Amino acid sequence: MTQEEIKKLVGQVAADYVNTQVPEGATIGVGTGSTVNYFIDALSKKRDRYRGAISSSIATTYHLISHKFQVFELGSLESLPIYVDGADEINPHGAMIKGGGGALTREKIIAAEADIFVCIADKSKLVPVLGKFPLPIEVIPMARIALARRITRLTTGIPMLRLMHNGKPFITDNGNEILDIYNLVIEDPIMLERSLNQWPGVVTIGLFSMLSANLCLLGTKYGVQRIDYEKNHLSLL
Ligand code: 5RP
């Protein structure tokens, strides 16, 4: 199987999981990325089972609408039974680096509201220690240079402004910029997330350690493996 075929299979297995675990008429939280797009494709076969979706990005909203899902504002919901999203890295405890697609802030907001976070990924994303994938941080543009200097001074990290193909800064759906931090070895994700969260000008850290996954559907060339995590981090928020 190619990596694309594995992602497609994970998307299908995630849709099967949601179709069997989530009651009819529910609204589903939907992340961003190529694996999530396969999930949306697969879920659309049972679209009428659902009231609609909460979307984590403009790109996902377009994809949902192309499959005729109704997209709702997060604030219109009393509760969200499930959130399904990809990851750039996931460690053995379900902590993740996210934000490769630049949607980390809305992803984290939705993850915080969901009863269950289901991570969907291929096996290349499973790592013993987070940090090989550069850690995205969404920042207020005014603070970007000061934050980059602070990161260089206080961590081993090497911050790089995320650029688009045309050389201009990547701008998030919220109008901010992203610093990608290379060269981190994240032995204690909760401590790092907590500490970076305090820095003025930081909007969101792409570390999901306090809002880690409840379970991961991990695609391999032999099929999809389900990993359940013990979740005790929420009280830390
Ligand atoms: C977007 C994300 C994505 O979930 C992450 O980048 C994984 O994407 P893909 O499924 O395309 O590998 O965090 O901000």
Side-chain angles (χ1 to χ4, degrees):
M1 268 199 278
T2 64
Q3 204 188 20
E4 270 327 282
E5 286 167 337
I6 293 174
K7 284 185 182 188
K8 193 171 179 179
L9 178 65
V10 174
Q12 181 62 58
V13 171
D16 294 343
Y17 177 82
V18 172
N19 287 333
T20 52
Q21 299 298 315
V22 176
E24 258 187 271
T27 305
I28 310 297
V30 184
T32 296
S34 53
T35 320
V36 162
N37 283 343
Y38 285 124
F39 164 68
I40 296 170
D41 296 344
L43 196 73
S44 69
K45 292 173 208 147
K46 293 260 169 84
R47 187 193 57 239
D48 295 341
R49 224 184 148 264
Y50 300 102
R51 174 172 169 262
I54 301 292
S55 169
S56 61
S57 64
I58 294 170
T60 289
T61 299
Y62 279 130
H63 201 66
L64 285 163
I65 289 172
S66 77
H67 282 294
K68 301 195 167 41
F69 280 100
Q70 258 198 278
V71 179
F72 294 96
E73 292 294 327
L74 182 63
S76 71
L77 288 187
E78 298 272 315
S79 65
L80 187 64
I82 201 161
Y83 178 56
V84 179
D85 198 358
D88 299 301
E89 283 185 348
I90 182 161
N91 78 6
H93 307 289
M96 295 164 282
I97 287 183
K98 292 185 43 53
L104 59 163
T105 295
R106 296 185 189 194
E107 291 174 342
K108 211 175 236 190
I109 292 168
I110 302 175
E113 293 305 307
D115 296 338
I116 295 178
F117 187 138
V118 179
C119 173
I120 53 174
D122 65 83
K123 203 169 179 177
S124 67
K125 309 285 182 70
L126 182 64
V127 296
V129 178
L130 300 173
K132 200 162 179 199
F133 190 93
L135 175 66
I137 303 186
E138 181 166 344
V139 300
I140 300 288
M142 175 199 173
R144 190 238 306 160
I145 292 175
L147 282 169
R149 286 198 191 115
R150 188 189 279 232
I151 288 160
T152 309
R153 206 170 56 241
L154 298 180
T155 76
T156 60
I158 302 169
M160 303 281 285
L161 174 63
R162 189 179 297 185
L163 300 176
M164 297 187 298
H165 289 305
N166 62 10
K168 294 197 170 146
F170 174 92
I171 301 296
T172 69
D173 289 352
N174 314 305
N176 298 313
E177 293 172 342
I178 290 189
L179 287 173
D180 288 307
I181 316 301
Y182 291 78
N183 200 42
L184 290 174
V185 180
I186 307 174
E187 303 276 7
D188 188 341
I190 291 180
M191 198 179 78
L192 185 66
E193 187 178 352
R194 269 191 169 156
S195 121
L196 296 181
N197 267 337
Q198 318 283 340
W199 294 2
V202 166
V203 177
T204 301
I205 310 293
L207 257 182
F208 285 56
S209 57
M210 290 183 274
L211 289 165
S212 58
N214 291 85
L215 71 99
C216 180
L217 298 172
L218 196 68
T220 76
K221 57 185 174 182
Y222 307 109
V224 176
Q225 184 187 348
R226 172 176 166 165
I227 307 171
D228 289 84
Y229 303 101
E230 274 202 27
K231 184 107 168 180
N232 52 15
H233 298 151
L234 270 176
S235 57
L236 297 172
L237 276 184

